[in-house]
Amino acid sequence: MIALIYAHPYPARSRANRVLLEAARGVPSVIVRSLYDNYPDFEIDVAAERKLLLESQLIVWQHPLMWYSAPALQKLWFDTVLANGWATGEGGTALEGKTCLWVTTTGAASAGYTPGGVHGFPFAAFVPVMEMTARYCGMHWLPPLVVHGAHQIADAALQQHAAQYRQRLLSFAAEAAGG
Ligand SMILES: Cc1cc2nc3c(=O)[nH]c(=O)nc-3n(C[C@H](O)[C@H](O)[C@H](O)COP(=O)(O)O)c2cc1C
């Protein structure tokens, strides 16, 4: 099973993540957990989230990039679900050996993520916080799927990213099933 943890604070206004999510939803083994739909009061059902993670081999974190990081509810999900003694620390081995894929969209075009650009650093400089969140829990880290310029990107290019996303999920599911 693939757990897709989706965190978009304004899903009705989404363009890029909506397209990506629809592509992923079509993959049979994907279970989508939409955090802002499920927990509008920020009261995360930690037991339910953990149950899904335990049943999953691939964990996807999909969200728009916000302040170079994850939206607030995704961050709270990290704080509460990946707690010490469960996913980290002594006896915290629940996610060891699982795989993590980060899927994110940025408002800025890729040119913004260069030394002279508006965000000052290459995008790779902003990856380690997410990467180490996964690795600290003992998960394997896959190359992230990043869509830059989420508001300007042409429909065809966005659809290409969505197709790649879907293909990566299908490949993972096929490999996990032994074929
Ligand atoms: C509060 C907030 C913070 C944001 N921070 C960033 C940022 O750090 N870097 C960036 O490139 N875009 C940033 N954006 C733009 C979003 O990433 C962009 O609107 C989103 O990826 C578009 O995806 P969507 O069509 O699914 O909504 C931010 C947007 C908001 C509302």
Side-chain angles (χ1 to χ4, degrees):
M1 197 186 286
I2 297 173
L4 196 168
I5 311 302
Y6 181 60
H8 198 309
Y10 317 108
R13 282 191 248 154
S14 169
R15 174 185 178 232
N17 281 279
R18 183 199 300 266
V19 170
L20 295 173
L21 188 66
E22 281 319 304
R25 258 192 218 286
V27 176
S29 39
V30 168
I31 303 286
V32 177
R33 195 68 120 227
S34 178
L35 298 186
Y36 281 88
D37 286 320
N38 291 2
Y39 309 119
D41 54 3
F42 275 50
E43 289 290 333
I44 294 173
D45 183 341
V46 171
E49 295 300 310
R50 287 180 177 173
K51 181 170 182 293
L52 175 65
L53 298 185
L54 287 175
E55 291 165 353
S56 304
Q57 194 50 40
L58 174 63
I59 296 163
V60 180
W61 295 327
Q62 184 191 329
H63 53 80
L65 196 75
M66 295 199 153
W67 290 109
Y68 310 108
S69 184
L73 187 51
Q74 178 69 70
K75 176 65 169 51
L76 185 65
W77 185 96
F78 292 147
D79 295 349
T80 55
V81 177
L82 309 183
N84 198 337
W86 191 77
T88 65
E90 206 179 318
T93 57
L95 301 181
E96 266 183 27
K98 296 183 187 292
T99 302
C100 185
L101 172 65
W102 184 33
V103 179
T104 196
T105 63
T106 73
S110 54
Y113 287 96
T114 52
V118 66
H119 295 300
F121 294 87
F123 189 76
F126 301 99
V127 174
V129 168
M130 299 299 291
E131 178 172 347
M132 282 314 303
T133 301
R135 287 197 192 279
Y136 194 63
C137 298
M139 290 194 274
H140 303 295
W141 179 250
L142 295 176
L145 192 159
V146 183
V147 178
H148 290 298
H151 305 290
Q152 297 89 16
I153 187 171
D155 286 338
L158 183 55
Q159 290 295 345
Q160 258 179 7
H161 283 289
Q164 277 168 10
Y165 185 16
R166 182 182 155 76
Q167 193 49 54
R168 287 181 72 177
L169 297 178
L170 283 169
S171 300
F172 187 93
E175 259 180 53

